[in-house]
Amino acid sequence: MTLQHSLLPPQQQAQKAFIDQFEYEPQLLVYAPGRVNIIGEHTDYNDGFVMPCAIDYGTAISGAKRADSIFRVYASDLQQWDEFDLSRPIEAHANADGDYKWTGYVRGVVKYIQEKCPEFTTGADLAISGNVPLSSGLSSSAALEVATGKFCQLLGGLALSNVEIALIGQKAENRFVGCQCGNMDQLISALGQKDHLLKIDCRSLETEAVPVPQGVAVMIVNSHVKHDLVAGEYNSRRQQCEQAAEFFGVKALRDVSIAQFEQHQAELTALDPLVAKRAKHIVTENQRVLDAVEALKSGDLQRVGVLMGQSHDSMRDDFEITVPEIDYLVELAQQAIGDSGGARMTGGGFGGCIVALAPEEKIEAVRKNIADHYEKRTGLKETFYVCHASEGVCVL
């Protein structure tokens, strides 16, 4: 949820904004990171496997308890205000579909925290600041949801775990905002570990920390093609996956092996070719995540690169969520990386970012190849980030 960035890190900017706007000292400061998904796209709402990491860009909330039940919220990057009352039913902001879309993430989390913890009736003043690029596929929304959830948990002394906070964030996004996302974004924002990727089983919620190999860089390149997942494409992909699960007679596509899929592929294709393509992506992507975990553990970056390449091709051809600009960025990154790592689209799709994993000595070659060619072909100027796998939500 960021449009204009201050030069201060979000943690300092949120505190400064609080003092400037409310004219007293804050009591609480929480911070939740955005994320980049290394592999495992759209598998989360299919009860499958993903492997993201939290990044060193995120959202901070500085705030203090009030004596009444009013929530006054200032989004410092947007210079916008929101106000609602915890003693009344929490509904969407009148302009939640427009400029005030960010209010849905805050209101939705507070609403579902109240549903789970009816004793939560405490008002608060909050100032929010973030530096996750908006509509980039790096989960600015999840960072805001998890930060809001953690803030409320501390404010009310609520017995909520970080996993529960993550799931409340997902519920807010699904039911209040209307995007049928899975639970990956909120879980990694809540549970991220420094210097590690996190393999998440999105059904059991079991996690396994997978170290980022020594000397390996996580690069993110923003295409500046904006996406908006609440618009129908994301939700239609989810429906298609559910149709495929119904065809196979299983709870979710996570339960279909590659062998089973291949056995019935022709039959499903005859029934609905689009649904068959969507299912193919999910079934093969789940296996790619498991294979990538093993490859990373043995330090086989070449194999990881092959799997990332296959993942991208599958998102382009079977799930059909890439755009030409993203495909071109992946091609440019891969040219510079060669066989020592990989690149792929990351996030929900239809724009946003690519992620690349490669030895640190490849950073400049990747940066230069993209800088030399991307803008010439697309008319858009990329933004290049080198990120570090970071801790999840924390109290500062």
Side-chain angles (χ1 to χ4, degrees):
M1 58 146 293
T2 303
L3 285 186
Q4 52 175 62
H5 295 310
S6 102
L7 295 174
L8 295 171
Q11 300 90 321
Q12 288 174 22
Q13 177 58 25
Q15 283 190 293
K16 180 182 184 302
F18 186 93
I19 294 163
D20 289 350
Q21 298 300 323
F22 297 106
E23 299 182 329
Y24 70 100
E25 289 289 327
Q27 301 163 331
L28 265 180
L29 179 62
V30 300
Y31 173 83
R35 65 97 188 94
V36 65
N37 190 23
I38 304 301
I39 195 161
E41 222 61 75
H42 287 262
T43 45
D44 56 350
Y45 57 80
N46 288 286
D47 280 1
F49 301 101
V50 292
M51 190 163 56
C53 68
I55 57 175
D56 35 10
Y57 293 85
T59 297
I61 297 179
S62 181
K65 193 177 280 200
R66 289 173 58 89
D68 56 18
S69 57
I70 305 287
F71 251 62
R72 289 193 301 169
V73 189
Y74 179 66
S76 78
D77 308 308
L78 304 169
Q79 298 178 339
Q80 290 177 351
W81 284 91
D82 189 26
E83 187 173 306
F84 54 96
D85 189 339
L86 269 60
S87 67
R88 297 186 182 152
I90 297 174
E91 288 167 356
H93 187 283
N95 190 13
D97 291 331
D99 296 341
Y100 283 76
K101 186 179 156 189
W102 65 272
T103 60
Y105 303 117
V106 177
R107 289 183 181 213
V109 168
V110 176
K111 178 184 173 76
Y112 293 121
I113 280 184
Q114 274 199 304
E115 197 177 86
K116 197 171 176 72
C117 308
E119 71 276 17
F120 183 64
T121 54
T122 312
D125 290 332
L126 290 75
I128 301 170
S129 179
N131 62 358
V132 184
L134 193 67
S135 296
S136 61
L138 300 178
S139 285
S140 54
S141 57
L144 177 55
E145 289 156 0
V146 171
T148 302
K150 191 69 178 173
F151 180 87
C152 292
Q153 184 234 324
L154 294 163
L155 189 76
L158 307 174
L160 290 172
S161 69
N162 283 357
V163 169
E164 287 172 311
I165 288 168
L167 296 179
I168 286 168
Q170 182 201 7
K171 191 174 184 181
E173 190 130 3
N174 289 173
R175 295 198 192 167
F176 200 86
V177 179
C179 179
Q180 299 306 309
C181 66
N183 53 22
M184 168 180 69
D185 297 354
Q186 294 82 6
L187 284 168
I188 186 64
S189 184
L191 304 175
Q193 291 191 27
K194 189 171 162 45
D195 299 328
H196 288 75
L197 309 176
L198 207 62
K199 180 192 118 185
I200 303 173
D201 179 332
C202 296
R203 174 175 283 169
S204 70
L205 306 185
E206 282 176 47
T207 60
E208 180 186 353
V210 182
V212 178
Q214 202 80 42
V216 169
V218 179
M219 292 170 267
I220 298 171
V221 189
N222 191 343
S223 69
H224 290 286
V225 176
K226 293 277 190 249
H227 73 188
D228 185 354
L229 296 183
V230 181
E233 290 286 0
Y234 192 102
N235 295 347
S236 75
R237 292 300 183 285
R238 183 161 186 160
Q239 285 163 355
Q240 288 160 342
C241 291
E242 285 164 0
Q243 286 171 272
E246 205 174 306
F247 168 84
F248 283 102
V250 294
K251 181 175 180 283
L253 284 176
R254 174 318 185 9
D255 301 308
V256 180
S257 68
I258 291 176
Q260 281 172 301
F261 174 77
E262 286 171 350
Q263 194 183 341
H264 297 283
Q265 185 175 4
E267 192 187 334
L268 180 54
T269 303
L271 208 61
D272 191 326
L274 262 190
V275 167
K277 285 170 79 170
R278 306 302 187 241
K280 183 185 175 190
H281 167 71
I282 299 299
V283 171
T284 56
E285 185 79 346
N286 270 322
Q287 189 58 50
R288 281 189 286 271
V289 176
L290 300 177
D291 292 347
V293 170
E294 294 314 309
L296 276 167
K297 284 181 182 170
S298 62
D300 187 348
L301 214 53
Q302 187 174 350
R303 174 80 178 129
V304 173
V306 169
L307 292 163
M308 289 175 78
Q310 290 171 352
S311 172
H312 184 82
D313 293 350
S314 179
M315 289 188 285
R316 182 192 63 214
D317 302 336
D318 292 326
F319 224 62
E320 297 180 284
I321 53 172
T322 74
V323 293
E325 296 88 343
I326 286 283
D327 294 335
Y328 188 47
L329 275 179
V330 168
E331 186 188 320
L332 292 171
Q334 200 66 61
Q335 281 170 2
I337 292 166
D339 62 3
S340 62
R344 62 186 280 280
M345 187 207 89
T346 187
F350 311 103
C353 292
I354 72 160
V355 63
L357 224 57
E360 286 167 354
E361 58 266 23
K362 294 281 186 181
I363 292 172
E364 282 317 309
V366 176
R367 193 195 303 265
K368 185 177 185 320
N369 202 37
I370 290 171
D372 287 351
H373 297 98
Y374 179 68
E375 190 178 9
K376 275 184 199 156
R377 181 186 289 193
T378 65
L380 295 165
K381 180 68 187 147
E382 77 285 349
T383 312
F384 192 96
Y385 307 91
V386 179
C387 287
H388 300 93
S390 301
E391 280 296 320
V393 68
C394 56
V395 187
L396 302 165

